[in-house]
Amino acid sequence: MLRRVLTPLLVALSALALTLAGTVTASAAEQSQNPTVLYYDSSQAAEFTSVVASAVDVWNSSVDNVRLEPASAGQRAEIRVIADDGWPRAHLGPVRPGGQVTVWMGRQGTAEGHDPLRIAAHELGHSLGLPDAKPGPCSSLMSGSTGGVGCTNAQPNASEQARVEANYGGGLAGQQAADGQLLVDRH
C-alpha cells in the first residue's frame, strides 16, 4: 500500500525537479543571449575617443552578460567618458541601465608613460563593478598603475571576467546597485 502511494509521488517530484532544472538552464542561456546593454558617451574623451572604443571592444569580447554600445546623439549614456588633465579615475559600479557613472581619462597617466588602452580598459572595469587590485601584477588589469609603466596588458584576467559576469548575471549578485565611490587610480 505504501509503495503504491510513494511511487507516484516520487515520479511527480522527479518530473518537477527536471522541469526546474530545465528552467534554470534556460535562464542562464537566455541571459547570455540577452546581455545587459549599457551605453557609453565618449564625445568628451578628446584624443582618447578611439582608445575608449578599443577598450569597449576588449570588454565586449571578454564577457557575455553585459555589452557596451555607443550612445546615439542626445541619448543619455550610463557611462560618460571625459578627458581631463588630472589622474585617471572613475566611479565604481556596477552601473545599471538608467544609472550613470563617469570615467575620467586623465592625461597625467599617459604623460607619465602609462598605456592609454590599459587605462581605458581599467577605468571601464571600475564602471562594471571591479575595484582596484593594488598592488598587483601586470597580468591583472585592475592592478592599474602598479603593473608598471611598461605594462600594456589591457585584457581582464579570468577572475576579473567572472566578477563582471556575476555583476550582470541573474540572481542577487546581478542585482547589486552601483557603489558610486570615486576611485582615483594613483599608486
Side-chain angles (χ1 to χ4, degrees):
M1 171 76 172
L2 185 60
R3 187 175 191 176
R4 276 190 269 165
V5 171
L6 287 179
T7 300
L9 181 61
L10 289 174
V11 169
L13 287 174
S14 296
L16 179 61
L18 288 173
T19 301
L20 290 176
T23 302
V24 170
T25 304
S27 295
E30 188 175 295
Q31 178 65 35
S32 68
Q33 292 174 4
N34 298 310
T36 299
V37 176
L38 299 174
Y39 293 95
Y40 71 94
D41 176 4
S42 61
S43 65
Q44 296 178 0
E47 70 272 22
F48 300 111
T49 303
S50 64
V51 169
V52 170
S54 294
V56 164
D57 289 343
V58 165
W59 279 107
N60 284 344
S61 66
S62 298
V63 294
D64 295 321
N65 287 345
V66 64
R67 179 143 185 91
L68 305 176
E69 297 287 342
S72 55
Q75 180 182 14
R76 185 176 188 276
E78 284 86 10
I79 302 171
R80 296 180 321 139
V81 185
I82 301 170
D84 74 0
D85 292 328
W87 192 256
R89 59 204 182 279
H91 288 120
L92 181 61
V95 67
R96 299 285 174 224
Q100 192 169 58
V101 295
T102 303
V103 166
W104 289 269
M105 288 295 297
R107 293 179 180 100
Q108 189 176 354
T110 55
E112 290 186 17
H114 293 280
D115 183 65
L117 179 57
R118 179 172 168 84
I119 292 171
H122 174 92
E123 299 306 336
L124 286 173
H126 287 318
S127 298
L128 299 174
L130 297 177
D132 285 319
K134 294 180 178 182
C138 180
S139 60
S140 167
L141 175 61
M142 299 314 293
S143 70
S145 60
T146 63
V149 173
C151 178
T152 60
N153 172 40
Q155 299 294 319
N157 64 30
S159 174
E160 293 161 341
Q161 290 173 15
R163 184 148 183 199
V164 169
E165 293 286 42
N167 286 345
Y168 292 94
L172 293 177
Q175 303 304 315
Q176 296 172 348
D179 179 298
Q181 177 183 3
L182 179 63
L183 299 177
V184 179
D185 290 308
R186 186 85 174 155
H187 58 279

